[in-house]
Amino acid sequence: MVGADVVQLASEANCHFGSDSGCGFPAPGLGEFDFKPIFTVAGVDFTKPMLLSIICALLVVGFFWAAFAKPKLLPGKLQLVGEIGYDFVKRSIVLETIGKKGEKYVPMLVSMFFFVWIMNIMSIIPFAQFPVMSRIAFPAGLAIVVWITYMTLTFKKHGFVGGMKNLCWPSGIPGWVMFILVPIEFFSNIFVRPFTLAVRAFANMFAGHLLIVVFSVASWYLLSPTIGALYGSVSFVVAVGLTAFELLVQFLQAYIFVMLASSYIAGALEEAH
């Protein structure tokens, strides 16, 4: 377990503030996001984050399959929870952002929302304790899916010329500034959007997880019959508080990711702006 591994190593070395071993604080770093492969197939390492992502996908598919495999007019508890989650994404994100045109994209965006959310929640699940979205490959992969959808819808609806105009040609702008704005709009819509979509989700999960690990390890390190015990208790309270705060951040990151994806789809379906 990330974080727990560091605490375990500190424990084995009796590494505490003021201890006779004279060890320093075992500061967590980028190594907290690296994992030994569980197994290797054809030169490809299968790691813990990959396993967690598969588990998350199965959880999302399994839940909605169980909730809606045999839907009833009077829903049971599982179906009711599924309907609440589905309607939340549909009404609060998709219809608010895209409008009625977004109905056909609701299943994809609902799946994406709960997949991202569950991968984030893995950071507080015992024996998992790692937010999958803190590995850049996962948010980058989802951002590529959104980007492909965005580009496909743009050129499918407007054609090549109309699609380029939709992407690069702002309306209501004096023609003499277009030579500046067109390259900026092109670069922003085609390259910056998928990059920021991925980095936003990655950076928040990366930073949040690292903070929790730092304060958790500090709680153990400062646990000693000295004044350090007082600081250690404060560090522990901060770690608990950060964990509670992460619950909110995990939800918000899933919400923002899908909201931005919806806004890109909305832009693709609209006339040239």
Side-chain angles (χ1 to χ4, degrees):
M1 291 183 289
V2 177
D5 287 342
V6 180
V7 174
Q8 182 179 359
L9 290 174
S11 174
E12 291 173 354
N14 192 28
C15 187
H16 292 287
F17 176 75
S19 65
D20 294 336
S21 63
C23 62
F25 175 62
L30 295 179
E32 298 304 305
F33 299 87
D34 291 329
F35 297 89
K36 294 180 180 179
I38 299 173
F39 58 84
T40 302
V41 177
V44 178
D45 293 335
F46 187 85
T47 60
K48 178 179 176 179
M50 296 170 68
L51 174 62
L52 292 177
S53 68
I54 293 173
I55 292 173
C56 291
L58 292 175
L59 286 173
V60 173
V61 172
F63 171 77
F64 282 103
W65 181 273
F68 297 112
K70 296 180 180 179
K72 299 178 181 178
L73 186 60
L74 185 62
K77 293 180 179 179
L78 196 62
Q79 183 182 334
L80 180 61
V81 173
E83 288 179 356
I84 291 173
Y86 187 91
D87 284 343
F88 169 77
V89 177
K90 176 182 176 180
R91 299 180 187 278
S92 300
I93 303 178
V94 180
L95 295 184
E96 285 288 331
T97 306
I98 307 175
K100 288 293 183 181
K101 295 179 182 178
E103 290 274 2
K104 63 190 297 184
Y105 308 104
V106 171
M108 181 190 79
L109 294 169
V110 168
S111 302
M112 192 170 291
F113 173 84
F114 284 99
F115 185 48
V116 172
W117 190 19
I118 297 300
M119 286 200 293
N120 290 341
I121 287 178
M122 284 291 125
S123 68
I124 61 171
I125 301 299
F127 303 108
Q129 292 182 281
F130 185 77
V132 183
M133 293 288 281
S134 66
R135 292 295 295 266
I136 188 62
F138 295 97
L142 290 172
I144 289 172
V145 171
V146 173
W147 183 83
I148 291 174
T149 304
Y150 174 43
M151 291 291 108
T152 301
L153 291 175
T154 297
F155 292 109
K156 182 179 179 180
K157 180 174 178 59
H158 305 286
F160 180 76
V161 175
M164 293 303 296
K165 183 179 179 181
N166 182 278
L167 291 168
C168 307
W169 196 272
S171 61
I173 304 296
W176 62 272
V177 297
M178 282 302 181
F179 76 97
I180 298 176
L181 286 181
V182 168
I184 292 175
E185 287 288 305
F186 178 85
F187 185 77
S188 173
N189 288 327
I190 295 181
F191 297 105
V192 174
R193 278 188 168 186
F195 176 77
T196 56
L197 185 64
V199 170
R200 180 182 287 105
F202 155 75
N204 280 279
M205 290 299 99
F206 180 93
H209 181 65
L210 191 58
L211 278 173
I212 291 174
V213 172
V214 166
F215 282 98
S216 298
V217 174
S219 300
W220 171 262
Y221 176 71
L222 293 170
L223 183 63
S224 61
T226 66
I227 188 63
L230 176 61
Y231 300 130
S233 62
V234 173
S235 181
F236 176 77
V237 171
V238 172
V240 173
L242 285 172
T243 301
F245 181 69
E246 272 295 286
L247 285 171
L248 175 62
V249 173
Q250 290 156 7
F251 173 83
L252 286 177
Q253 287 307 308
Y255 180 91
I256 292 170
F257 192 95
V258 174
M259 183 181 68
L260 289 173
S262 298
S263 71
Y264 299 161
I265 292 173
L269 298 176
E270 291 174 356
E271 296 302 324
H273 55 286

